[in-house]
Each structure stands twice: as C-alpha cells, then as structure tokens.
Amino acid sequence: MTAPRHPALTATDPELASLVAAEEDLQARTLRLIPSENYVSAAVLEASGTVLQNKYSEGYPGRRYYEGQQNIDRVEALAVERAKGLFGVDHANVQPYSGSPANLAVYLAFAKPGDTVMGMALPMGGHLTHGWGVSATGSWFRGVQYGVSADTGLIDYDAVRDLALAERPKIIFCGGTALPRTIDFAAFASIAKEAGSVLVADVAHIAGLIAGGAHPSPVGHVDVVSTTTHKTLRGPRGAMLMCREEHAKAIDKAVFPGLQGGPHNQTTAGIAVALHEAAQPAFTRYAHAVVANAKALAQALLERGFDLVSGGTDNHLVLIDLTGKGVPGKTAAKALDRAGIVVNYNTVPFDPRKPFDPSGIRIGTPSLTSRGLGTAHMPQVAEWISRAVDAAAAGDEPALAAIRAEVADLMAAHPAPGLPLA
Ligand SMILES: *Cc1c(COP(=O)(O)O)cnc(C)c1O
C-alpha cells in the first residue's frame, strides 16, 4: 500500500478523495488541448489551498471592514504590485471571482441597464459576457455584435468602425474565446475614441502570452484590461481588472461593494504566486513555445487536409472546421475524448449547424507546452487527431482505444506540473 495522496481527505471523505485521485489520473494520462485550460504549478496549488481561506476581508488593503488583516493585506498588496509590474499598468484589482463577474463589474462601472454595449458575437468567437443574448449582459444591456469576415475569418475593422459609429456604444469589448489571430488593439482604440466608447480588452485567453511577450499588449490602448488568471497565465481560477489611474476608483467600487462581498484570499495568494512565476525568464520562453507549438500544430493539421478558420494561427489556439471531413464537431470531440485527447466542440464563423452540435472543434497548446512538449511533437499530435477523426467517421472504436494507449505513453514521459507522479 502506498500512502494516500490526500491523507486527511481520504480519512474524512474517501468517496470524494477517490474522485480527486481519479481526476489526477485522468489529467495525467490524457492530452489536453482545450485552449482555456492549463496546469498550475505545485506552488500555485499549495498557495490556493491554505488557511487564507478562513479569512473575511471585505474592502481593500488598508481599508477593510474586518479586523485581523495583518497578513491578508500584504498578500493582496503583493498580488496587486506584481500584476502592475508584469502588465505595466497603473492599477490592478485582483478580487473578481472569475472572468464573468470581472466583466460584469466593468458594466457596473461604466454603463446603466439598457445602454448599448458592443462585443464580438459568441458564434464568431466572442464571449457570452460581451453582450450576448442568453447572458445577463445581453438582457440587461442592449448588445450589438460584430464578427469576422466570411472570406478571411479575420475581424473586419471597417465593419467594426461602421457599427460603432452607428450605435455609439457605452462600452466596446475586444477579445474572445475562439480567435486564432492577433488582436489589433490600436485599431480598436481609434474606433472607440471616434465612437466615444469605453474600450475593454478581455484578454482572458491570451494574458499569459501578453505577459511573456508573445502577443502585443493592450496596455496604453484600452481603458480597461479584463482577464482571467487560470488560462495561459497559469494561475488559480480567478480574474483581474487593470486600468489607468483615472478609472481605478470606478473599477474598485464596482467590484466591491458593487458586485461582490469578501475576496477569496486563498485565490489571491495563488494569483500572487502565478504572477511571480510569470515574471521569470522561463515564462517568457513558455509563452513563445505555446505559440510556436500552435503554429507547428496548425501546419501539421493543414498537411493532413484539415480546414482551419483564418487558415492558421498567431497565438495559442486553432479553430478547426470539420465540415470537409464529414464529421460534426460534437461527434469528433467525443471520439477524441475516447482517444485520450480532450478538446471542445465549437461553432465556426457562419456555422450552419446549431451551437450545441456545431461544425468545429477548438484546440490549443497551453497545456501540452506546460508538460514540455515541443514543435517536434506536433506532427504526432496532428496525426492522432487525424486518425481519431477518421475513426469517428468510420465508427472504429478499437482505433480510438489504440490512440488512447499511445497518448498515455507520451504523457507518462511528460508529467504535468502540479500533478502527483504515478
Ligand atoms: C474564459 C473567458 C471569460 C470568462 O471567464 P470565467 O472565469 O469562465 O467566468 C471571459 N471572457 C473571455 C474572453 C474568456 O475567454
């Protein structure tokens, strides 16, 4: 018998402990290509599981509504200082519980219910919280939406400008969840200025690339930067809002007391550690390796006859249109999962199919790069995807099982940060 990985949890709640252990094994054995996921380091994991959990601290460092903040204030101040240093901003708020509430705080700071707001349409690659109908942001505000052009798959900045000048939105969001190309923050800034709009860059997906210098920064172009901390930035699940000094009060007031109560101090600690890690030279190498891997993977997929939205990628993400392969996105995603390759099905721009069963899959390289895979591995990854999609079309379950075993072998040789070794 080896000692249980989580002894206290195993003693108290063996049922839950076994689920955690099963998830550890699943993450260890499979190849994660979901572009919004990553592996936090053991240090981030430890910081996020501390007794900081036990403390209430409504307010901000030095201005709390509860006593006993001697250490918590310093933890939050550290996270704030590190965010400011890493991204080169005047002000950072590290309290938003996640990306969606961070964006909601932006609405609270700059708009009133019923105001017009503008963002990229969800099926074009935007996020729900950018004014899409089923989101609170689309029902409490009047969302108008831009997309990409049908022939290039790229944002048509002239069309964005026309819409902005016609609608004069209070807030414009740029950024999204399925954009494989570099965002031109300067172009958005000139549009927002002309339209008199507050410009928000939602860099949830690419924050780590920005921190590592592998994607241009929105800082200096936009009013507010919103980001999650758990995607390419490789921190715990959480979010940050960053801005120039002139918006600092409005942002802080919107987060607390506008939208939230006590901050999750254990998460703040994990964010502080992740920001420290992201300031190291190794993280700069990581960010560039993520992009190099995505480009190599895109190339290897093109060579295997895959159709990629916009023809390739500039960042960590590749959006595959499977129409030509004759396999719907959901069927492919589920087959890939059985083959030990974890992706998500996704709409492609102008998708004729329904969002719950769309034409594409979305993949990305942040996680595999965290495990130390490099460009030399990407043809193998593309080959597995190709074989799995063909197997899905043919209903060939043994082929999927064979891939799963091959994937597990490679993953065993590349353990993920933060996971116990098998
Ligand atoms: C992930 C994401 C969010 C939302 O983050 P949650 O933490 O899931 O609420 C918001 N905007 C963009 C662009 C995202 O990619």
Side-chain angles (χ1 to χ4, degrees):
M1 276 284 293
T2 53
R5 290 168 190 166
H6 307 285
L9 184 59
T10 303
T12 304
D13 189 342
E15 187 179 9
L16 196 283
S18 76
L19 288 173
V20 173
E23 177 62 18
E24 287 167 347
D25 291 339
L26 185 67
Q27 291 193 16
R29 280 197 310 267
T30 52
L31 174 60
R32 351 173 70 183
L33 292 178
I34 294 177
S36 51
E37 293 183 349
N38 216 326
Y39 307 97
V40 296
S41 69
V44 168
L45 210 50
E46 278 182 16
S48 317
T50 54
V51 297
L52 301 179
Q53 179 97 249
N54 298 341
K55 192 71 197 123
Y56 240 107
S57 40
E58 286 181 355
Y60 291 99
R63 296 175 283 136
R64 304 284 192 186
Y65 291 82
Y66 294 75
E67 298 313 314
Q69 308 293 345
Q70 293 83 344
N71 304 306
I72 300 297
D73 272 4
R74 291 174 66 185
V75 168
E76 186 170 335
L78 252 186
V80 167
E81 285 313 309
R82 288 174 180 175
K84 285 162 66 174
L86 186 64
F87 289 96
V89 290
D90 295 344
H91 182 74
N93 186 310
V94 298
Q95 293 192 5
Y97 298 141
S98 213
S100 302
N103 285 346
L104 204 51
V106 171
Y107 287 84
L108 194 57
F110 298 107
K112 294 260 176 297
D115 281 349
T116 299
V117 297
M118 183 170 141
M120 188 176 226
L122 180 67
M124 292 281 180
H127 192 260
L128 280 165
T129 56
H130 297 182
W132 191 244
V134 297
S135 150
T137 63
S139 51
W140 296 343
F141 301 89
R142 184 179 156 268
V144 296
Q145 316 258 264
Y146 58 88
V148 295
S149 82
D151 40 332
T152 61
L154 303 175
I155 293 172
D156 176 346
Y157 289 94
D158 292 330
V160 174
R161 177 174 176 270
D162 290 346
L163 184 64
L165 293 182
E167 299 286 355
R168 304 270 168 190
K170 269 275 162 55
I171 304 174
I172 298 176
F173 280 89
C174 59
T177 62
L179 306 178
R181 295 297 181 177
T182 300
I183 300 166
D184 187 345
F185 295 118
F188 270 106
S190 88
I191 292 165
K193 189 166 183 216
E194 241 186 304
S197 313
V198 171
L199 180 61
V200 182
D202 181 350
V203 299
H205 262 257
I206 55 173
L209 304 185
I210 292 166
H215 186 289
S217 172
V219 174
H221 296 294
V222 307
D223 294 291
V224 179
V225 177
S226 173
T227 186
T228 57
T229 46
H230 48 271
K231 298 179 184 175
T232 50
L233 197 54
R234 238 165 39 179
R237 308 197 80 83
M240 307 192 294
L241 289 169
M242 299 179 281
C243 59
R244 288 196 305 274
E245 198 51 51
E246 65 176 294
H247 298 311
K249 265 215 172 88
I251 288 291
D252 283 355
K253 242 181 83 192
V255 173
F256 174 86
L259 194 64
Q260 299 186 168
H264 294 179
N265 298 311
Q266 75 284 3
T267 299
T268 306
I271 291 173
V273 175
L275 292 168
H276 174 71
E277 291 175 348
Q280 308 307 315
F283 194 85
T284 302
R285 290 195 292 278
Y286 167 71
H288 285 89
V290 166
V291 175
N293 279 340
K295 286 178 186 285
L297 182 55
Q299 184 56 37
L301 288 166
L302 288 169
E303 285 164 9
R304 285 161 181 78
F306 283 94
D307 180 11
L308 308 183
V309 172
S310 84
T313 183
D314 299 326
N315 54 29
H316 63 302
L317 181 149
V318 177
L319 189 55
I320 305 177
D321 184 343
L322 289 168
T323 307
K325 294 279 184 184
V327 183
K330 196 179 198 172
T331 307
K334 292 198 173 298
L336 281 158
D337 191 49
R338 295 199 293 283
I341 299 173
V342 190
V343 307
N344 66 274
Y345 58 85
N346 213 95
T347 55
V348 297
F350 307 98
D351 203 323
R353 301 177 62 91
K354 295 267 178 293
F356 197 60
D357 188 13
S359 299
I361 55 172
R362 188 184 69 150
I363 63 176
T365 52
S367 292
L368 63 78
T369 307
S370 291
R371 295 181 85 137
L373 298 197
T375 52
H377 295 102
M378 296 307 110
Q380 172 66 265
V381 173
E383 186 60 25
W384 280 329
I385 294 171
S386 181
R387 279 167 55 197
V389 168
D390 290 347
D396 186 350
E397 289 302 318
L400 297 176
I403 297 168
R404 189 177 185 90
E406 292 172 33
V407 167
D409 278 347
L410 184 68
M411 294 300 104
H414 294 272
L419 290 185
L421 294 173

